[in-house]
Amino acid sequence: MKVYHQVVLWAQILSIIVCIDAHGLFSATAPSTTCGYGTHLNNDTLACQCNNALCSTREFNASKVHIAGLFDELGFDWGREIFDFTISLLNDHNNGWHDDILNDGTEIIATVADAGCDPGIAVPAYWDLKTSWGQPLHGVIGCRCSGASIAVSRIAGLEDIPVVSMSSSSAQLSDIIDFSSFFRLVGPDNSRGQVGALVTLLQSFGWDRVSVINTDTQYTKDLATAFGNTWTGDIAHIHTVSIRPDGTVEDTSVDQALDGVPVDDPRVNSRIIVLIAHHQHAYPILQRAQQRNFQPDTVWVGADAWTGQFFGSDTEWMPDIPGYIGVVPYRNNDSHLHDFLNRLQNHQKATQTTTPSISPASGSAAEDTTFPSLPSYAAETMVDSIVALTMAISSLNPGERADGKKIITALSQTNFTGVSGPVSFTPEGDRANPRYSVLNLPTRGKEWENVGFITPGAIGEGVNALDICWASIGCDQQEAPSDEYPVPPEKLQTWVIAVITTISLLVVALAAKYWRSHEKKKRLKTNISEMQKKMEAMKTIDTELLDLDKQVEEAKRRQASLILQRANLQEMPSTWSSSGETLVEVTPDDDQYWSIHNKLKETMSNAWISKVWRVQNTSLWTYYSFHKDRLTMIDIDHNERHVWHGTSSLDPSIIYNDQQDGFMMQFSGMGFWGRGIYFANNSSYSDSYSYKPSENTQSDRPRSNKGEREMFLAKLLVGNEIFMNRDESNSRAQECARLTVPPTDANSGLKYNTVTGETGGSQVWVVYENGRAYPDYLIRYYKGKRDPKRTPFETREEAVQRTKRYSNNPKTKDVLPEFKSIIAVPAPKGFVTWEYHDNGWKPYGNTAQDALETAYQSFVGTNNTGIYKVQVQGGEWVYEVDLKTFVQTNIEHSAHAKRDVRRNTSL
């Protein structure tokens, strides 16, 4: 069903694109009351409205601007009130609040739809606005959550409809290729945003050693990965805490995280623990640590997901001075915020709006008629999101306001001081120079306090240790506590002390002698002068390196654009069928089935195949081919292998249905050779990590039988590999376990592409990047006695005899090449047609027919030992046909595309 809904959605999007192309929805035309084809005039709104979902309005009332709010009303229970009030302020051009925005008689028409913080809810909600609201959509304010924003922005970007989010922070949204119309009022979750703020906060206190504990939600794992990539100091310990299916933390996993902290070794331990978790998970972890009396002077540093929040009303378990600190998006407190808040409060009083006020410490509710303050930083950024969008639209002439590209350009140039502070955007659509407030919990049962602010990269600015209360230490401290514990000195033996004393006396004597030497002083001055010159030269080099970094960033953007163009030129494998499905079953009458059968049984003689599916994923194959060509361009042998991979508890459909990476580092765990994607030569090794499909699972694969397992036979671009024997020594094993990238090849100066080693009786390969492996086949198998219902044929010969697919010629009887090889054999004369496979079998032209048959008869006449390659012309290309393998190769196209060939004598 999931695949079906995706197909329907993209079919609708393509229909919209066709309509845009046909009717010019975003063309800058003068306003008129004449409606285009497939539309009618709405007498209530005096605007053109679509008759159905497959049309677009050519012209409409230019005196109205239509903006939709798209956010989850459960998470933002205050969202609709703030949204509607901001729109009403902008529509009133005599209240002294942004009166210059759309003050040409234009009215803002607004509506709100629930996005549910879920792509599955947000996309239909957006589609409803496009097809049922009955108005041309100028822009969207939302969504709150990154997953919903990613889904909606991909679709809106196809129509150049700007989407301005108040809080979505995923680093993925900074991709201007995939999200060309997306803007946000917060920074991304990487070094330019929240992660950079966390790292800068730690560095501002002089800390360079931390431990990291994160939960296993996708958001927190991505944030922890970004932190690890940005942090330049030491990490004493890192652990991921498991979350149960009911959403609660697993106590044993928390105990494992705490037990792993090296508290008994002050040489490597750290007082600082960065906790990356949502608030409903962070506080149970902190409570568990308190119950165990774990390292009471620990400084817990939090991410935005739990900093400033509470979970439940019970805080009695906390220490008297929790001392928790963390960062949240900047909470503004200047005149712009107070002006807006006063206007909102007066409005609430005038309309007798009652708003529940919740005390974070007690959790009790009390009646209040006004907001004492804006309920969240997202309320500030929601207001400024609306102002930024309407300000951009206002800067255009009325006749240009239907042009989404012009609105996007105007948005990128927007610059003003808003409720949340200074507002402008980077070229990627992120908020420029984002600030983050630093919060501290000084006392149990009290509220979090704002103790300063931090800007990513600005170390030491905006925060002072004197303003912070520290766990077990207290408040009003001139300096932050050290991140490291003091290491007690080792007691020296008497003879060692004597040697050190003697050496010290000799050093003092020598130093005095050289100090008295005038010539030595002159030499020292000369050395200092030369050193200063070297420092100046190094400074010049550093400047050039910074310029090169900027060029590299620009090259990466260009690379992303070229990859998209490449996909349109990429040829697919010749073994693929014309089926539009991602999974195509390989049956026992196919050579590929028995090649896989033999490879499976090489190390698992009691294994039998139930099903084999070929994975035909165009996006993944394009990405894989790009990496293959990249190796070719830098003159590295592909070293392509067929290897096994088990997905453990991860459903293989997540890999073969993915449209970007397939095998992903995000799903990888720590192994003997560090965190990477592992592949094995032996099927028996990957069997230990194979996936056990549920007998009741509903998916695009049939239900499994008891005892069946699944794993991939994948193509892997090994490239330049290095063998690392972890059994060589303990230090070697530790070096392997710490790997995050392959080591550097001393000969080329480049990093190896792949690390290989041996474990569990099998050679394994480990890659540390996405895209270098393709899930070629998915195999479902079982072990033990063969079940004829699931495995009807025990051998290939039995399958051949039953299906009568192969000739009885002894030259072909025992030939089973790897995945594709057909040996030419004589065939009866008469009516013969040579055909190639391209979405079905198609005949060659007459000239090519004669050339192929002549060459074939000559080849057969030499008992299959003569010339077996012949070139033929087909359209504008020249092809080479191999009469041994019956494969045609386009020798003029850069991709050298291959297709199957057959000699059809059935006529």
Side-chain angles (χ1 to χ4, degrees):
M1 288 298 294
K2 179 179 178 182
V3 174
Y4 171 78
H5 286 309
Q6 289 176 338
V7 172
V8 171
L9 176 59
W10 282 108
Q12 291 173 330
I13 294 171
L14 290 173
S15 299
I16 292 175
I17 296 173
V18 171
C19 291
I20 292 171
D21 185 61
H23 299 298
L25 173 60
F26 292 134
S27 60
T29 57
S32 171
T33 57
T34 301
C35 294
Y37 175 76
T39 66
H40 64 275
L41 182 66
N42 187 315
N43 294 325
D44 294 330
T45 62
L46 298 180
C48 292
Q49 177 175 316
C50 290
N51 295 335
N52 53 57
L54 301 180
C55 80
S56 297
T57 51
R58 179 189 296 273
E59 299 168 351
F60 46 84
N61 192 337
S63 67
K64 298 181 186 296
V65 168
H66 305 93
I67 297 175
L70 192 59
F71 46 83
D72 58 308
E73 298 190 74
L74 180 62
F76 279 0
D77 54 355
W78 45 261
R80 182 181 289 270
E81 181 176 2
I82 297 291
F83 183 88
D84 291 343
F85 178 66
T86 305
I87 295 295
S88 68
L89 285 181
L90 291 171
N91 274 330
D92 183 353
H93 300 289
N94 298 303
N95 58 14
W97 196 78
H98 293 293
D99 290 343
D100 56 336
I101 293 180
L102 296 171
N103 62 352
D104 54 1
T106 300
E107 179 186 4
I108 303 173
I109 307 298
T111 189
V112 172
D114 192 353
C117 205
D118 183 345
I121 298 176
V123 170
Y126 170 80
W127 194 251
D128 233 13
L129 292 169
K130 283 293 299 170
T131 58
S132 300
W133 188 27
Q135 304 290 356
L137 192 58
H138 290 81
V140 173
I141 302 300
C143 302
R144 175 171 79 94
C145 300
S146 294
S149 289
I150 287 170
V152 169
S153 298
R154 285 187 189 276
I155 302 173
L158 296 174
E159 305 173 289
D160 296 321
I161 295 179
V163 177
V164 187
S165 172
M166 69 292 291
S167 58
S168 294
S169 57
S170 170
Q172 184 179 351
L173 287 162
S174 296
D175 189 332
I176 60 175
I177 301 300
D178 287 346
F179 308 101
S180 58
S181 68
F182 180 78
F183 296 82
R184 54 179 158 193
L185 269 291
V186 293
D189 287 335
N190 56 24
S191 59
R192 302 194 306 273
Q194 179 182 180
V195 172
L198 268 176
V199 170
T200 303
L201 176 66
L202 298 171
Q203 294 173 337
S204 295
F205 295 134
W207 298 333
D208 60 6
R209 182 192 295 170
V210 300
S211 292
V212 179
I213 296 177
N214 64 277
T215 53
D216 65 355
T217 67
Q218 191 59 54
Y219 171 78
T220 53
K221 287 192 293 186
D222 290 346
L223 203 61
T225 299
F227 178 85
N229 293 336
T230 306
W231 177 247
T232 57
D234 295 332
I235 295 181
H237 172 65
I238 185 169
H239 188 88
T240 298
V241 173
S242 300
I243 305 298
R244 297 188 184 99
D246 64 0
T248 60
V249 295
E250 198 171 85
D251 290 342
T252 56
S253 184
V254 177
D255 290 339
Q256 291 171 358
L258 299 176
D259 291 340
V261 177
V263 295
D264 296 330
D265 189 352
R267 294 171 298 176
V268 296
N269 192 23
S270 175
R271 182 180 279 108
I272 316 303
I273 297 182
V274 178
L275 178 57
I276 301 176
H278 291 88
H279 71 284
Q280 68 268 32
H281 302 142
Y283 283 101
I285 293 173
L286 294 170
Q287 184 174 5
R288 186 70 173 172
Q290 180 67 13
Q291 291 170 348
R292 294 183 44 170
N293 196 31
F294 169 79
Q295 200 167 271
D297 60 347
T298 295
V299 179
W300 293 91
V301 182
D304 168 39
W306 70 274
T307 298
Q309 304 181 59
F310 288 92
F311 182 62
S313 58
D314 178 21
T315 59
E316 290 302 316
W317 56 267
M318 289 185 182
D320 293 337
I321 303 177
Y324 309 147
I325 60 174
V327 298
V328 297
Y330 185 63
R331 297 305 305 269
N332 193 25
N333 196 32
D334 64 10
S335 59
H336 293 83
L337 178 136
H338 290 291
D339 175 52
F340 178 84
L341 181 59
N342 289 336
R343 292 172 185 271
L344 176 61
Q345 290 171 340
N346 292 334
H347 169 75
Q348 289 176 323
K349 292 175 182 178
T351 57
Q352 296 182 348
T353 301
T354 300
T355 302
S357 177
I358 305 298
S359 169
S362 66
S364 61
E367 289 294 327
D368 193 359
T369 58
T370 61
F371 282 124
S373 62
L374 289 184
S376 164
Y377 77 88
E380 302 171 20
T381 53
M382 175 184 283
V383 174
D384 286 345
S385 297
I386 299 171
V387 173
L389 178 59
T390 55
M391 185 177 290
I393 297 173
S394 179
S395 68
L396 304 174
N397 294 326
E400 298 177 318
R401 291 172 184 168
D403 190 332
K405 290 184 178 178
K406 291 187 177 180
I407 297 177
I408 292 170
T409 300
L411 254 175
S412 67
Q413 299 168 355
T414 299
N415 190 331
F416 66 96
T417 300
V419 174
S420 64
V423 176
S424 60
F425 299 102
T426 67
E428 296 81 13
D430 302 325
R431 185 168 190 159
N433 304 314
R435 278 185 175 184
Y436 291 81
S437 293
V438 180
L439 304 186
N440 174 228
L441 186 60
T443 308
R444 177 181 61 205
K446 301 296 184 181
E447 295 186 358
W448 289 75
E449 292 184 1
N450 191 331
V451 294
F453 67 87
I454 206 81
T455 302
I459 299 174
E461 294 182 8
V463 65
N464 191 328
L466 191 63
D467 300 323
I468 298 174
C469 292
W470 307 97
S472 298
I473 298 176
C475 310
D476 302 321
Q477 302 296 311
Q478 293 292 334
E479 296 182 350
S482 172
D483 57 328
E484 301 176 5
Y485 288 95
V487 178
E490 296 182 4
K491 186 176 180 180
L492 299 178
Q493 299 182 18
T494 303
W495 70 269
V496 176
I497 297 174
V499 171
I500 293 176
T501 302
T502 303
I503 293 174
S504 299
L505 291 173
L506 289 173
V507 170
V508 170
L510 290 173
K513 177 181 178 181
Y514 281 109
W515 182 261
R516 290 191 297 267
S517 174
H518 178 69
E519 291 298 323
K520 296 296 182 181
K521 289 181 180 179
K522 289 178 61 177
R523 186 177 302 171
L524 180 62
K525 291 180 180 179
T526 302
N527 290 340
I528 292 174
S529 176
E530 292 178 353
M531 185 178 297
Q532 289 175 339
K533 292 179 182 179
K534 290 180 179 179
M535 292 296 291
E536 290 297 326
M538 291 171 65
K539 187 182 295 183
T540 301
I541 293 172
D542 288 344
T543 301
E544 293 182 8
L545 287 174
L546 288 174
D547 292 338
L548 288 173
D549 284 342
K550 295 178 181 178
Q551 296 176 28
V552 168
E553 288 298 321
E554 181 60 32
K556 288 180 179 178
R557 295 190 187 97
R558 176 59 178 162
Q559 180 190 43
S561 175
L562 291 174
I563 289 176
L564 291 177
Q565 299 177 32
R566 187 184 196 280
N568 297 326
L569 302 174
Q570 178 66 48
E571 290 282 348
M572 297 302 110
S574 60
T575 56
W576 285 15
S577 70
S578 59
S579 170
E581 298 295 326
T582 301
L583 282 187
V584 178
E585 184 174 355
V586 180
T587 55
D589 60 354
D590 195 313
D591 282 351
Q592 299 171 47
Y593 179 98
W594 294 103
S595 296
I596 297 169
H597 167 89
N598 293 344
K599 188 167 182 63
L600 179 70
K601 280 182 167 289
E602 283 179 0
T603 54
M604 283 200 302
S605 60
N606 64 336
W608 298 95
I609 291 177
S610 294
K611 295 281 186 182
V612 177
W613 294 278
R614 182 171 54 250
V615 179
Q616 299 185 178
N617 186 319
T618 303
S619 298
L620 294 187
W621 181 257
T622 300
Y623 193 39
Y624 176 78
S625 300
F626 162 73
H627 279 277
K628 179 183 286 190
D629 292 347
R630 180 170 63 87
L631 292 175
T632 300
M633 292 171 63
I634 58 177
D635 198 25
I636 293 179
D637 184 6
H638 301 157
N639 197 6
E640 188 177 56
R641 297 174 181 271
H642 264 104
V643 290
W644 298 98
H645 180 85
T647 61
S648 297
S649 61
L650 184 70
D651 193 317
S653 64
I654 295 176
I655 294 175
Y656 66 68
N657 279 329
D658 187 51
Q659 296 300 307
Q660 183 173 338
D661 298 300
F663 295 109
M664 289 180 279
M665 283 291 295
Q666 291 89 328
F667 295 128
S668 64
M670 295 296 295
F672 287 152
W673 287 271
R675 185 181 295 276
I677 308 174
Y678 285 66
F679 299 91
N681 182 64
N682 294 356
S683 59
S684 57
Y685 179 86
S686 295
D687 173 61
S688 302
Y689 301 91
S690 60
Y691 176 72
K692 181 180 180 181
S694 171
E695 297 176 25
N696 298 319
T697 298
Q698 296 293 328
S699 69
D700 49 359
R701 308 189 300 280
R703 292 183 178 180
S704 65
N705 294 309
K706 183 177 180 181
E708 290 184 332
R709 314 286 295 192
E710 292 177 346
M711 60 182 172
F712 284 111
L713 182 60
K715 285 181 178 289
L716 175 65
L717 298 172
V718 176
N720 190 13
E721 61 183 324
I722 178 174
F723 183 85
M724 299 186 70
N725 183 7
R726 63 176 306 276
D727 298 325
E728 180 181 302
S729 63
N730 288 336
S731 60
R732 187 64 162 176
Q734 293 176 4
E735 177 189 359
C736 293
R738 289 194 298 266
L739 286 174
T740 56
V741 294
T744 301
D745 185 348
N747 295 327
S748 66
L750 301 175
K751 285 184 173 61
Y752 286 96
N753 302 113
T754 306
V755 172
T756 185
E758 291 186 358
T759 182
S762 174
Q763 184 173 4
V764 297
W765 292 268
V766 188
V767 296
Y768 303 87
E769 60 177 331
N770 299 346
R772 291 233 319 277
Y774 178 79
D776 210 6
Y777 295 91
L778 177 65
I779 295 92
R780 177 178 290 176
Y781 65 96
Y782 61 95
K783 292 186 287 187
K785 185 178 180 181
R786 181 174 69 90
D787 179 0
K789 293 182 179 179
R790 292 182 282 177
T791 311
F793 305 115
E794 182 174 4
T795 64
R796 170 178 172 269
E797 288 72 18
E798 182 182 349
V800 169
Q801 183 179 5
R802 293 281 295 274
T803 59
K804 298 182 179 180
R805 182 177 176 185
Y806 293 88
S807 167
N808 289 326
N809 191 307
K811 292 183 178 294
T812 62
K813 182 176 181 182
D814 297 321
V815 175
L816 183 59
E818 184 178 3
F819 299 108
K820 184 62 185 177
S821 180
I822 303 173
I823 293 182
V825 297
K829 297 182 179 179
F831 294 101
V832 174
T833 302
W834 285 87
E835 299 171 328
Y836 62 93
H837 195 275
D838 182 9
N839 293 325
W841 291 102
K842 300 177 181 179
Y844 284 90
N846 292 335
T847 303
Q849 291 278 353
D850 294 340
L852 287 168
E853 182 62 20
T854 300
Y856 176 80
Q857 293 297 338
S858 175
F859 176 61
V860 172
T862 61
N863 199 21
N864 298 351
T865 60
I867 297 174
Y868 59 90
K869 291 186 179 180
V870 58
Q871 293 184 2
V872 297
Q873 182 79 29
E876 58 179 322
W877 306 106
V878 174
Y879 301 93
E880 183 177 81
V881 178
D882 189 319
L883 298 177
K884 280 187 176 180
T885 63
F886 275 49
V887 172
Q888 146 188 306
T889 303
N890 188 333
I891 61 176
E892 293 187 339
H893 194 281
S894 59
H896 297 299
K898 299 180 181 295
R899 299 190 186 279
D900 289 344
V901 173
R902 73 177 183 182
R903 182 173 179 263
N904 189 353
T905 61
S906 62
L907 298 177

